[in-house]
Amino acid sequence: LQDSFGGWASPVLPRLFRDYAELCFRHFGGQVRYWLTMDNPYVVAWHGYGTGRLPPGVRGGPRLGYLAAHHLLQAHAKVWHLYNDHFRPAQRGKVSIALSSHWIKPQRMTEKNIKECQKSLDFVLGWFAKPIFIDGDYPESMRCNLSSLLPGFSEAEKKYIKGTADFFALSFGATLSFQLLDSHMKFQQLESISLRQLLYWINIEYNNPQIFIVENSWFVSGTTKKDDAKYIYYLKKFIMETLKAIRYDGVNVFGYTVWSLLDGFEWHRGYSIRRGLFYVDFQSHDKKLMPKSSVLFYQKLIEKNGFPPLPENQPIEGIFPCGFAWGIVDNYIQVDTTPAQFLDPSVYVWDVHQTKKLIKVDGVYASKRKRHCVDFAAIRLQISLLQEMHVTHFHFSLKWSLILPLGNLSLINHTLVHYYQCFASELLRVNITPVVALWQPMIENQELPVSLAKYGAWENTEIVQAFVEYARFCFTSLGDHVKFWITMNEPSVKNLTYTAGHNLLKAHAKVWHLYDKEFRRSQKGKISIALQADWVEPACPFSRNDQEVADRILEFDIGWLAEPIFGNGDYPEVMRAWLHRINSVDLYNFHLPYFSEDEKKLIQGSFDFFALSHYTTTLVGSEKEDAVKYDHYLEVQMINDITWLHSPSRAAVVPWGLRKLLKWVKSKYGDVPVYVMANGIDDDQNMVHDKLRVYYIKNYINEALKAYTLDDVNLQGYFVYSFNDKTAPKYGLYSYVANQYEPKPSLKHYREIIGNNGFPGPETPELLCPEEVASCPECHFFRTRKSLLAFISFVFVAFIVTIFFITYYSKRVERRYK
């Protein structure tokens, strides 16, 4: 027909197509309930006869493309009327046409851009949908812009075409979106894959039609075989959006079909991509088939008829144990050691007559006095903000680089040390326990003294003893106020070499033993290391390969530093085996150092608790799909579940990941006391209600409660990250604008959870906690000022003795005169 008549460019084709349809209706109509006259007429007309990108490859330009579309519409109408008049009474089927569409959103929310978006949809979907579903004619925007190119319908043809569909058959994402939509058809607006918004637009634009999604999917790389995780999560996204359109937008969607059953030839992209639920081995003689993970996913989804709420993801009621640590984190507290005016020994006079200013009197000085904690105004403000939260613990890190600028005790910043002493003592005064980390890596110099950072940092073995001496100084200077120590806070394994990690572990262990032997008995504190521990989940839950990858990543991310301390004193066997494997093929030359037997004994058990920071969950797969997110070293593909809630920085909000992590820690390291030392999310500072963080804190704490209540994890505390936006922009519970701290709504919600010690319900048994011995501010005052107390005691005793002698001799003189 293409060679004989020119295909759809010929007016003869509609009649011939009607004859072909009649043959099909007669032979198959008894078994077919839903008929589609044609699939994707936009692609056929525009790229088959206009651009020539697809078969039959005619480069006839826009005029021929619009003419072909005209004939396609006439052919469809003829077939619909044929079925309606002659076959519907007996076969009782339905007929429509499968229309493909994209979705478009304005670059900026202006009236002009919104009209351009409407025009884009008119030129693609409306080109065929408006004649069929509205009035039998092309969209107004097309007729105005294409008056000389667009064929016209007679009034009789309009009536004949109007209403020739029993339902709205939609194709989305399978072929057109982001592939075959010419850039000028976007009218300088932004293409999107939001199926829900498209469904809502169709519902409004075409008078609430019944919609059948007859083609929908995405694609994976042509090299992907069984574990098509990317395909699964796009499928999940589209089906969830369809469900939302039905539930929340009132859109009448009655069916959904995945494209496609098998991998196949993808026209202009050939075999470079795959869309099938079944893998086809195109190289084999018999084209062997193999079900992909997406088959199991889609099968389970059909069985459940959607996404019913899972019992394990439902919030529970309950409370945490007595003495549970409710905390907040600030990586580095605001340090302001500006001297108070009361420390200035100079004498001033006020020039009340001329300048109205204070004038310093040269050569005249008042007596100097010792510094006191009240001289630091910044401390009072921070303490008052912490009191507003009702937290019981406050976690912050010391600055090694500032306390010992040269990396040894030859130069000590006594002013800063005094500031830390005052801060910790003021926390105790208001019943907040300071949790202090000796070191936390930052980008610049890793927050190490310059002399240490300059000569290899943690690569240099000399840093181990330097860290021990620094720790000894901190324990001596701050140990009276600090009973909760972290040796190292969140050492980033992403930025550590194996040698650096080796030295870091030895430094931690030596500091722990130092505290245990020399300070624990007198200071009665506890000490451990805090590790960053985000959960890792296999992208394909049905895939053994993906599970192996997830287990491997957990060992490299967490087990690397955790196993020597909390486990057997050595690195995970998974790490050694993997490094041996990749080194053996000469791709890499990474060698994990070995501990001596004495070092293993030193490191193993050097903890009092397991402290972890947790922020998000990551999906990993074994199939290479996206080169940008593929780690060749560990042979892992990072996958994104686009249905998950995400923060502005694209951090996934996955509360159940925390519970899985806590269970994993218990299964590997036993019934160790666990503290979640940091858990938080960034926000959009333009958002007023802080809804994302409120949701995040509530649900993550509830998952922590499940771990404690249902999984018997020995959870001892939970800390929110972070204190304020000044020190951690976008993460704080306090915003910081124009030198003012303002509480965000999430602070109030966190305070309520603290007040309730969890999520008590009507049936939650009351927890009777023994009264804690409240710290006595007055006692603390005297305890830290022993010399003053001794002096006052001496004066008081001297006064009593003096009064006694005066009274005694007065009475003797009085008796003598008598």
Side-chain angles (χ1 to χ4, degrees):
L1 296 179
Q2 182 65 38
D3 294 339
S4 302
F5 301 101
W8 289 107
S10 169
V12 176
L13 259 287
R15 178 178 57 79
L16 297 177
F17 185 67
R18 179 194 178 281
D19 295 342
Y20 161 68
E22 183 176 5
L23 178 69
C24 293
F25 293 153
R26 291 190 185 280
H27 283 81
F28 313 119
Q31 292 81 40
V32 178
R33 182 178 177 186
Y34 295 101
W35 288 96
L36 298 176
T37 57
M38 52 192 69
D39 179 56
N40 220 329
Y42 169 85
V43 172
V44 174
W46 189 252
H47 290 301
Y49 292 87
T51 67
R53 290 180 63 188
L54 294 178
V58 179
R59 298 182 180 180
R63 184 180 298 278
L64 190 62
Y66 292 125
L67 180 62
H70 200 70
H71 295 151
L72 285 166
L73 280 167
Q74 290 173 331
H76 160 75
K78 284 180 179 293
V79 171
W80 186 88
H81 282 287
L82 168 69
Y83 189 86
N84 191 60
D85 294 342
H86 301 287
F87 295 95
R88 190 188 303 275
Q91 297 180 0
R92 304 190 178 200
K94 294 185 177 182
V95 180
S96 189
I97 180 172
L99 302 180
S100 62
S101 184
H102 62 306
W103 178 248
I104 199 89
K105 61 182 182 181
Q107 284 202 20
R108 291 180 298 277
M109 290 301 292
T110 64
E111 185 177 352
K112 178 184 177 183
N113 285 351
I114 293 172
K115 287 182 177 179
E116 294 296 286
C117 288
Q118 177 70 30
K119 190 184 297 183
S120 176
L121 290 169
D122 283 345
F123 271 64
V124 178
L125 179 59
W127 184 4
F128 298 91
K130 185 173 178 289
I132 294 171
F133 290 93
I134 300 299
D135 59 5
D137 203 357
Y138 297 115
E140 182 67 24
S141 59
M142 292 186 72
R143 289 192 286 111
C144 291
N145 286 271
L146 306 170
S147 56
S148 62
L149 297 175
L150 200 63
F153 290 115
S154 66
E155 290 301 318
E157 287 176 323
K158 290 178 185 179
K159 291 180 181 179
Y160 191 72
I161 293 173
K162 177 184 175 181
T164 55
D166 300 324
F167 56 92
F168 198 113
L170 176 65
S171 171
F172 181 77
T175 304
L176 182 61
S177 296
F178 291 93
Q179 297 176 48
L180 292 174
L181 184 68
D182 290 350
S183 58
H184 68 273
M185 288 292 189
K186 301 175 188 177
F187 294 89
Q188 300 181 337
Q189 306 308 308
L190 302 175
E191 193 173 0
S192 168
I193 57 170
S194 178
L195 176 57
R196 178 183 177 184
Q197 289 178 295
L198 175 62
L199 289 170
Y200 183 74
W201 183 84
I202 291 172
N203 183 63
I204 298 299
E205 190 78 5
Y206 301 113
N207 302 321
N208 191 26
Q210 286 187 313
I211 301 174
F212 193 158
I213 300 173
V214 294
E215 292 176 341
N216 178 234
S217 72
W218 207 244
F219 59 88
V220 295
S221 167
T223 60
T224 299
K225 293 184 178 179
K226 184 178 180 181
D227 298 328
D228 54 342
K230 177 183 173 183
Y231 187 95
I232 288 175
Y233 290 109
Y234 271 98
L235 199 60
K236 180 182 175 185
K237 170 187 168 62
F238 291 136
I239 296 174
M240 288 187 78
E241 289 197 353
T242 301
L243 183 60
K244 290 176 183 177
I246 297 169
R247 275 279 190 89
Y248 304 129
D249 306 330
V251 180
N252 189 1
V253 181
F254 71 92
Y256 178 90
T257 307
V258 170
W259 180 268
S260 65
L261 181 63
L262 308 175
D263 292 333
F265 181 76
E266 295 292 337
W267 294 110
H268 64 296
R269 303 190 69 168
Y271 295 107
S272 64
I273 64 170
R274 294 176 180 269
R275 297 185 191 274
L277 295 175
F278 283 81
Y279 173 81
V280 178
D281 184 357
F282 296 112
Q283 303 302 317
S284 65
H285 177 72
D286 57 352
K287 302 297 181 287
K288 184 179 179 181
L289 296 180
M290 180 172 62
K292 301 181 187 177
S293 294
S294 53
V295 168
L296 296 174
F297 169 79
Y298 194 47
Q299 181 185 30
K300 297 290 184 184
L301 191 145
I302 293 172
E303 289 174 0
K304 297 176 182 177
N305 196 30
F307 303 93
L310 300 175
E312 60 267 28
N313 290 340
Q314 301 308 300
I316 67 167
E317 295 176 345
I319 54 178
F320 289 95
C322 295
F324 191 78
W326 291 103
I328 191 75
V329 186
D330 202 355
N331 286 341
Y332 295 103
I333 58 174
Q334 179 187 347
V335 175
D336 183 0
T337 57
T338 304
Q341 59 179 343
F342 305 108
L343 294 175
D344 187 354
S346 302
V347 176
Y348 299 83
V349 295
W350 188 10
D351 184 0
V352 296
H353 298 293
Q354 296 181 5
T355 64
K356 309 293 184 183
K357 296 180 179 179
L358 292 173
I359 300 174
K360 184 177 180 181
V361 179
D362 295 332
V364 180
Y365 298 96
S367 59
K368 290 186 177 181
R369 70 166 178 80
K370 280 185 65 176
R371 290 176 178 268
H372 298 297
C373 291
V374 293
D375 294 325
F376 298 120
I379 291 179
R380 294 197 300 272
L381 173 59
Q382 293 180 81
I383 296 297
S384 65
L385 294 175
L386 289 168
Q387 284 183 280
E388 285 294 313
M389 291 184 177
H390 298 177
V391 292
T392 62
H393 291 64
F394 179 57
H395 173 31
F396 64 94
S397 300
L398 304 178
K399 288 200 171 187
W400 185 4
S401 62
L402 297 182
I403 294 175
L404 301 181
L406 299 181
N408 55 49
L409 299 178
S410 63
L411 180 61
I412 301 171
N413 188 337
H414 289 288
T415 302
L416 180 59
V417 173
H418 181 56
Y419 187 92
Y420 284 135
Q421 289 172 338
C422 289
F423 196 94
S425 65
E426 289 300 301
L427 285 172
L428 291 173
R429 188 179 63 82
V430 296
N431 292 324
I432 297 177
T433 300
V435 181
V436 179
L438 295 171
W439 174 72
Q440 175 166 343
M442 298 298 282
I443 296 175
E444 187 175 356
N445 289 334
Q446 298 185 57
E447 200 48 57
L448 297 171
V450 175
S451 59
L452 296 175
K454 185 177 179 181
Y455 294 103
W458 289 103
E459 294 277 333
N460 190 335
T461 56
E462 293 182 3
I463 198 174
V464 175
Q465 191 57 36
F467 186 67
V468 173
E469 293 306 313
Y470 161 64
R472 184 191 303 274
F473 173 76
C474 292
F475 295 152
T476 303
S477 303
L478 301 171
D480 288 340
H481 311 295
V482 179
K483 311 299 180 187
F484 200 140
W485 289 99
I486 300 293
T487 55
M488 300 152 180
N489 192 52
E490 297 184 20
S492 175
V493 296
K494 306 294 184 186
N495 301 319
L496 276 182
T497 64
Y498 293 129
T499 300
H502 202 69
N503 291 331
L504 187 145
L505 283 166
K506 290 191 285 188
H508 155 77
K510 287 189 175 185
V511 167
W512 186 88
H513 284 284
L514 169 70
Y515 189 84
D516 190 53
K517 292 176 182 177
E518 300 184 23
F519 295 94
R520 189 188 300 275
R521 182 174 298 177
S522 60
Q523 295 181 1
K524 295 180 171 56
K526 53 187 175 182
I527 184 170
S528 196
I529 188 172
L531 305 176
Q532 181 166 340
D534 289 334
W535 181 244
V536 179
E537 185 78 3
C540 293
F542 319 105
S543 167
R544 181 179 299 176
N545 292 336
D546 284 10
Q547 184 62 60
E548 289 177 358
V549 170
D551 293 340
R552 181 162 68 245
I553 299 303
L554 285 171
E555 295 295 353
F556 271 83
D557 284 0
I558 306 173
W560 176 9
L561 299 180
E563 186 65 27
I565 298 171
F566 301 92
N568 61 11
D570 201 357
Y571 296 114
E573 184 57 36
V574 170
M575 288 186 70
R576 290 207 184 276
W578 182 258
L579 292 176
H580 176 75
R581 172 184 173 275
I582 64 172
N583 288 334
S584 64
V585 293
D586 295 326
L587 293 176
Y588 299 95
N589 189 26
F590 294 114
H591 295 285
L592 202 58
Y594 285 87
F595 293 114
S596 68
E597 289 304 315
D598 288 340
E599 286 173 335
K600 289 181 182 179
K601 292 177 183 178
L602 179 78
I603 296 171
Q604 185 181 21
S606 57
F607 68 90
D608 295 331
F609 51 87
F610 195 115
L612 60 90
S613 300
H614 175 83
Y615 302 97
T616 188
T617 291
T618 304
L619 293 171
V620 295
S622 56
E623 298 264 11
K624 183 178 179 181
E625 179 65 40
D626 182 353
V628 176
K629 295 182 178 180
Y630 187 79
D631 186 333
H632 291 271
Y633 171 50
L634 293 175
E635 296 182 8
V636 55
Q637 177 70 62
M638 302 299 172
I639 301 290
N640 181 32
D641 185 342
I642 51 180
T643 66
W644 281 352
L645 191 62
H646 287 80
S647 73
S649 68
R650 302 306 298 162
V653 179
V654 192
W656 51 258
L658 175 57
R659 180 184 177 188
K660 287 196 172 187
L661 172 67
L662 294 172
K663 289 172 66 177
W664 182 83
V665 169
K666 180 182 178 181
S667 68
K668 279 191 69 71
Y669 305 118
D671 193 32
V672 57
V674 179
Y675 288 85
V676 178
M677 295 302 296
N679 179 235
I681 195 76
D682 61 297
D683 61 21
D684 184 346
Q685 293 179 322
N686 297 321
M687 297 297 289
V688 177
H689 300 295
D690 199 21
K691 290 182 179 179
L692 178 61
R693 185 174 289 103
V694 170
Y695 173 87
Y696 183 98
I697 291 175
K698 177 182 176 182
N699 286 276
Y700 271 84
I701 295 177
N702 198 266
E703 290 297 322
L705 179 64
K706 292 177 188 177
Y708 167 71
T709 305
L710 305 178
D711 307 324
D712 203 25
V713 175
N714 188 6
L715 187 62
Q716 299 288 311
Y718 172 90
F719 292 66
V720 167
Y721 182 83
S722 138
F723 181 19
N724 62 75
D725 283 346
K726 184 176 183 180
T727 52
K730 298 185 178 182
Y731 281 87
L733 297 192
Y734 281 100
S735 61
Y736 184 77
V737 181
N739 296 323
Q740 294 290 325
Y741 292 95
E742 292 293 335
K744 299 179 184 178
S746 52
L747 187 149
K748 176 185 175 184
H749 287 268
Y750 184 43
R751 189 167 56 197
E752 289 177 357
I753 294 172
I754 294 173
N756 293 324
N757 199 30
F759 306 91
E763 299 181 2
T764 302
E766 185 177 356
L767 185 65
L768 298 175
C769 296
E771 289 293 328
E772 294 185 5
V773 179
S775 60
C776 169
E778 293 77 18
C779 299
H780 181 72
F781 175 89
F782 290 114
R783 199 165 49 242
T784 56
R785 295 165 176 83
K786 293 180 180 178
S787 58
L788 177 62
L789 178 60
F791 175 75
I792 293 173
S793 300
F794 172 79
V795 171
F796 179 77
V797 171
F799 174 78
I800 296 298
V801 171
T802 303
I803 294 298
F804 172 80
F805 280 111
I806 291 173
T807 305
Y808 174 78
Y809 283 107
S810 296
K811 289 184 177 180
R812 287 190 62 181
V813 170
E814 187 178 350
R815 283 198 295 270
R816 185 181 301 170
Y817 280 105
K818 287 181 178 178

